[in-house]
Amino acid sequence: GAVVSQHPSRVICKSGTSVKIECRSLDFQATTMFWYRQFPKQSLMLMATSNEGSKATYEQGVEKDKFLINHASLTLSTLTVTSAHPEDSSFYICSAHRQGPGELFFGEGSRLTVL
Amino acid sequence: AQTVTQSQPEMSVQEAETVTLSCTYDTSENNYYLFWYKQPPSRQMILVIRQEAYKQQNATENRFSVNFQKAAKSFSLKISDSQLGDTAMYFCAFMKGRAGNNRKLIWGLGTSLAVNP
C-alpha cells in the first residue's frame, strides 16, 4: 500500500518557539493533503486542506497565521505551529490523497508537547 | 451537510467472538464512500474497510465485513473471531464521491473496542 511519512513523531518545544511538522507521500504524488488535530480519546478534527501550489483552505476556527501550511511539491506538505503555547500541545496527523476514488493514506502522527 | 454518528462510545468482546460496531450517516449525496478506520494505541490510522455507495455488495476484508444499508444510511462493521490485536479505536467516516481534489473525510466520534482474553 501507499506510504505517508510524518516527521517528527514526537517533539517537545518551549513556549513561544515555532515547530515544523513534515508530511511526505513516499511512493505517490499527492495533490491534496489534509492536516488533522486529535485530542486524547477524541475523533480527528480537520484543520486544513493543503493543495499543491496554492494556499491552504482552513476550517472555521483554525487560525491560519498560527498554523502555517505549505504544500510546495506533490510529495511534501508542512505544518508550522508558530509561537507555540501549551494549549497547542496535541497529536497532529496528516493524510494524503492519491489519485483514484477514496484513496487516502495517513501519516503516523506527530505528538507535540509545548512546555 | 453530512454527518456520521457512532452511538457506541465503548464496547468489549471476548477473544474469538464476534462484535458489531454501528455507524449511521446522513447525506443527500448519491455517490459517496464509507470507511472504517482503526486507530490502535500507536495512534497510526489504519484503513480497515471501504465501501463504495454504488456497490450493493457488502465489502469484506478477511475477518472484517460491513452491513451497508443505503436506504437506512447504516454502515455497521462486523469483526469475526476477535483477536487481542483488534483492541483499538474504530472510526467510521464518509467521503463525497464527486471528482475533484477535495476529498474531505467526515468522521464519527469513534468506538473504543476492547478485546478481552
Side-chain angles (χ1 to χ4, degrees):
Chain A
V3 178
V4 174
S5 176
Q6 198 172 328
H7 179 80
S9 58
R10 292 177 182 270
V11 57
I12 301 172
C13 69
K14 292 182 179 179
S15 187
T17 60
S18 294
V19 174
K20 181 186 285 188
I21 301 170
E22 293 185 347
C23 180
R24 292 181 185 273
S25 56
L26 297 184
D27 53 358
F28 66 97
Q29 293 184 332
T31 53
T32 303
M33 291 185 174
F34 300 91
W35 286 97
Y36 296 90
R37 184 172 181 176
Q38 187 181 31
F39 294 103
K41 298 188 185 297
Q42 293 190 23
S43 189
L44 278 69
M45 182 189 78
L46 180 64
M47 299 174 66
T49 303
S50 169
N51 292 301
E52 186 266 337
S54 64
K55 290 184 179 179
T57 303
Y58 290 82
E59 296 298 303
Q60 192 172 7
V62 178
E63 299 176 62
K64 57 184 176 183
D65 294 333
K66 172 78 172 174
F67 298 100
L68 298 179
I69 290 172
N70 183 275
H71 195 155
S73 77
L74 286 171
T75 59
L76 174 64
S77 176
T78 60
L79 167 68
T80 302
V81 183
T82 62
S83 186
H85 287 99
E87 57 265 31
D88 298 325
S89 298
S90 191
F91 192 68
Y92 293 88
I93 306 175
C94 73
S95 70
H97 173 230
R98 184 173 70 177
Q99 279 300 114
E103 293 281 325
L104 271 179
F105 301 91
F106 285 83
E108 310 95 322
S110 299
R111 160 75 60 198
L112 171 63
T113 303
V114 184
L115 301 176
Chain B
Q2 288 76 29
T3 58
V4 176
T5 302
Q6 292 178 251
S7 58
Q8 306 151 315
E10 295 181 353
M11 290 192 74
S12 64
V13 63
Q14 290 300 120
E15 198 175 3
E17 293 188 348
T18 295
V19 64
T20 299
L21 309 183
S22 67
C23 173
T24 59
Y25 59 95
D26 190 25
T27 184
S28 58
E29 301 281 329
N30 193 47
N31 183 20
Y32 52 87
Y33 302 92
L34 294 163
F35 305 84
W36 278 99
Y37 281 93
K38 168 185 177 181
Q39 189 179 37
S42 67
R43 308 293 293 272
Q44 170 76 61
M45 198 66 73
I46 301 166
L47 176 65
V48 175
I49 204 162
R50 181 180 79 189
Q51 174 81 44
E52 290 91 338
Y54 65 86
K55 289 186 177 178
Q56 292 186 344
Q57 187 172 5
N58 289 324
T60 300
E61 287 290 338
N62 301 314
R63 296 182 296 108
F64 300 87
S65 62
V66 297
N67 183 3
F68 173 48
Q69 301 290 327
K70 191 172 183 179
K73 294 180 181 168
S74 171
F75 183 61
S76 61
L77 174 70
K78 185 171 82 171
I79 306 174
S80 304
D81 186 24
S82 297
Q83 300 176 0
L84 296 178
D86 296 333
T87 293
M89 280 290 289
Y90 286 83
F91 293 99
C92 179
F94 169 100
M95 178 195 289
K96 286 183 185 178
R98 290 184 199 158
N101 286 331
N102 191 355
R103 296 296 190 179
K104 279 189 198 181
L105 281 170
I106 310 299
W107 297 87
L109 294 180
T111 296
S112 177
L113 176 67
V115 179
N116 301 315

